[in-house]
Amino acid sequence: MAAFLGLLAFAALLPTARQSITALSTTAIETFKPYTHYASTAYCQPSMTLKWTCGANCQANPSFVPIASGGDGDDIQFWYVGWDPSLETAIVAHQGTDTSELLADLTDVDIITENLDSTLFPGISSSIEVHSGFADEQAKTASSILAAVEIAISEHGAEKVTIVGHSLGAAIALLDAVYLPLHVNSASFQTVVYGLPRVGNQAFADYVDAHVTSFTRINNKEDPIPIVPGRFLGFHHPSGEVHITDANVWEACPGQDNTSDLCIVGDVPNIFDGDESDHDGPYDGVEMGC
Ligand SMILES: *[C@@H]1O[C@H](CO)[C@@H](O)[C@H](O)[C@H]1NC(C)=O
């Protein structure tokens, strides 16, 4: 019952075209808390996430059943997949990266984009282009993630899959949110990401709006990462923004890249107005990191 009510609260957050910018209730904010801990836990070594022995972050979701973990935290970001019986969802989580390095990469003038790989993303339109670095990262773990999600479905009867990540991990999570439903028909998906940079072009953002169900991207205060790469380079965010203001109000911002001062694009007009220390949080008291 509690899980069902949580789902309802989640659905109520989905922005609709004519919705105004609205502050989330305390209850709605609390609905995100387990997923925030899951995203934070993705910074832990696979040896820890496989045994669920990472301390406070793991203890925040005490009933979690690990299925698979991987990555080396260098060439391949850490990731893990498992089953949460109390929330009745499989969890897919991806690690992020160092803020300054990511900011440098995403403000590089020579950003390269590419089409999504047609084997991983069968039937995807060639008008869709994404950041090549993000596409490469997602491709490295795609088949392992899919295999683990299939175990969550066959062994735990998962009917729902929740994909989470922070920073670079948020970008990989968003690509997983496009990828997994193309291969899994028997589950519904929801995606919650933190400090997401722009991943692709207008066609990509429109595809996400049309096909990725229950998508939320949470941005903290003056974090500069969500405003890069710049819109002038052809990058656009999908809808689903929640912006945490300086007053710690969580504003649900309708539309793609809403330019209101209450949303990140209006609040952080350029990276010099940004504060890198906001990237890791806190998100309702949770600082990202193992
Ligand atoms: C931003 O949100 C407001 C609602 O207050 C909406 O009217 C406006 O169209 C949105 N802007 C964009 C660019 O989506």
Side-chain angles (χ1 to χ4, degrees):
M1 189 61 185
F4 179 66
L5 288 175
L7 256 184
L8 283 181
F10 228 97
L13 295 178
L14 290 176
T16 55
R18 288 176 186 282
Q19 202 180 323
S20 54
I21 296 167
T22 47
L24 301 194
S25 67
T26 307
T27 312
I29 293 170
E30 282 169 0
T31 308
F32 290 106
K33 195 76 160 244
Y35 306 114
T36 314
H37 282 291
Y38 278 129
S40 190
T41 302
Y43 282 88
C44 301
Q45 294 279 344
S47 57
M48 280 186 189
T49 52
L50 262 185
K51 294 192 183 130
W52 214 242
T53 53
C54 72
N57 261 326
C58 289
Q59 280 315 304
N61 289 304
S63 61
F64 184 76
V65 183
I67 293 173
S69 303
D72 57 16
D74 179 21
D75 184 45
I76 303 176
Q77 302 304 108
F78 295 149
W79 60 270
Y80 67 87
V81 174
W83 166 244
D84 185 323
S86 53
L87 294 169
E88 296 183 332
T89 180
I91 300 288
V92 173
H94 286 282
Q95 181 197 15
T97 191
D98 176 77
T99 310
S100 303
E101 261 178 52
L102 185 62
L103 191 60
D105 281 351
L106 299 180
T107 49
D108 191 316
V109 286
D110 296 322
I111 281 180
I112 300 168
T113 61
E114 66 187 41
N115 290 134
L116 289 169
D117 178 274
S118 61
T119 308
L120 290 178
F121 298 86
I124 207 91
S125 165
S126 61
S127 63
I128 291 176
E129 290 195 15
V130 301
H131 186 283
S132 288
F134 296 156
D136 290 350
E137 291 299 322
Q138 193 268 343
K140 286 176 190 171
T141 61
S143 60
S144 306
I145 298 279
L146 176 57
V149 166
E150 281 168 346
I151 291 172
I153 292 168
S154 62
E155 289 187 6
H156 299 282
E159 293 176 356
K160 187 166 64 141
V161 179
T162 305
I163 309 165
V164 302
H166 164 250
S167 185
L168 171 58
I172 302 170
L174 175 53
L175 289 171
D176 269 0
V178 173
Y179 160 75
L180 288 171
L182 295 173
H183 302 272
V184 175
N185 299 318
S186 61
S188 65
F189 291 86
Q190 66 180 14
T191 302
V192 184
V193 294
Y194 303 80
L196 175 75
R198 294 194 182 96
V199 171
N201 65 356
Q202 185 68 62
F204 175 75
D206 292 345
Y207 181 93
V208 172
D209 279 7
H211 298 279
V212 175
T213 53
S214 186
F215 174 68
T216 307
R217 51 184 181 94
I218 300 172
N219 295 326
N220 188 44
K221 300 185 178 165
E222 270 79 49
D223 181 1
I225 295 294
I227 66 155
V228 294
R231 287 179 293 165
F232 63 94
L233 293 171
F235 283 82
H236 297 277
H237 269 306
S239 302
E241 180 183 4
V242 170
H243 182 226
I244 306 172
T245 68
D246 289 336
N248 281 313
V249 177
W250 289 41
E251 302 282 3
C253 294
Q256 302 172 335
D257 284 305
N258 197 305
T259 52
S260 161
D261 285 353
L262 293 174
C263 311
I264 199 110
V265 171
D267 196 17
V268 189
N270 61 68
I271 57 167
F272 306 106
D273 289 318
D275 184 344
E276 286 185 37
S277 71
D278 287 336
H279 185 52
D280 289 347
Y283 299 85
D284 190 23
V286 180
E287 195 77 31
M288 291 293 164
C290 186

